[in-house]
Amino acid sequence: MPHHSQPPPHPPRQSQRTHHPTPPPYPRDYLMPWQSSPPPPPPRPPAPSANSAPAPGHHSDLRRLRTAYRLLRRVSTLTALGYFTLFLLLSGYAPALMTRPVGDGGLTTGLLLGLCQLPVTLAAVAVYEWTARRTVDPLSAGLRDRAGRLHPGTGAVPAEDRRTGADR
């Protein structure tokens, strides 16, 4: 027998997918031996009420609240970080200014600006709280009150029970 013969060709490969037939539909009252009662029907979604409020994301008061809060965050963050960034830039690019003595006690401009970092940060926090109480809190209280009227039982706190102002 010669060794140069070729093996017989393989038949073309068929797909390896196995076909799983879907189970036959059973009547709803059909019970398996281990079941004691038929499965409950799937819950129906609640029907939309006729007096439903618009979606919160599209409400103009909610947009105003988000805008006021965003502005508040940006101003406070930029105040504190802006001062610190200014201090770092002056330290790196204006060493002659930062080492200049202030007065007779040996205090330099850089040290004075560094010591002012804490009061500037505390002032940014104080302005944040004052502005939040003046602009953001009334907007959120109005939205909370309106949500409580439209959807009673949602846990909205009545206005007379809410602490406001300095006794917060």
Side-chain angles (χ1 to χ4, degrees):
M1 210 177 221
H3 292 289
H4 62 280
S5 66
Q6 302 226 345
H10 294 287
R13 285 191 141 176
Q14 293 182 354
S15 172
Q16 295 293 331
R17 294 182 195 166
T18 57
H19 179 67
H20 297 290
T22 57
Y26 295 107
R28 291 193 70 66
D29 59 348
Y30 179 80
L31 296 178
M32 297 291 177
W34 59 85
Q35 293 176 317
S36 62
S37 63
R44 292 180 172 228
S49 63
N51 62 351
S52 64
H58 303 292
H59 202 280
S60 64
D61 288 342
L62 191 56
R63 275 195 304 257
R64 285 195 344 235
L65 177 64
R66 280 194 310 250
T67 303
Y69 185 59
R70 186 180 308 124
L71 180 66
L72 181 63
R73 284 189 326 243
R74 287 179 183 168
V75 168
S76 299
T77 302
L78 290 177
T79 300
L81 289 179
Y83 183 84
F84 183 67
T85 304
L86 176 70
F87 175 74
L88 289 178
L89 289 174
L90 287 174
S91 297
Y93 293 108
L97 174 70
M98 298 299 273
T99 57
R100 184 177 300 154
V102 177
D104 295 334
L107 187 65
T108 63
T109 308
L111 188 57
L112 182 65
L113 289 175
L115 291 173
C116 287
Q117 181 69 44
L118 183 62
V120 167
T121 304
L122 292 176
V125 169
V127 169
Y128 178 90
E129 287 183 5
W130 179 76
T131 308
R133 287 185 185 172
R134 196 172 54 89
T135 59
V136 176
D137 289 351
L139 286 172
S140 65
L143 282 172
R144 191 178 307 116
D145 290 342
R146 185 163 39 225
R149 277 185 307 223
L150 290 176
H151 305 288
T154 58
V157 179
E160 60 272 3
D161 292 344
R162 229 179 285 123
R163 294 188 309 179
T164 58
D167 44 275
R168 218 181 226 205

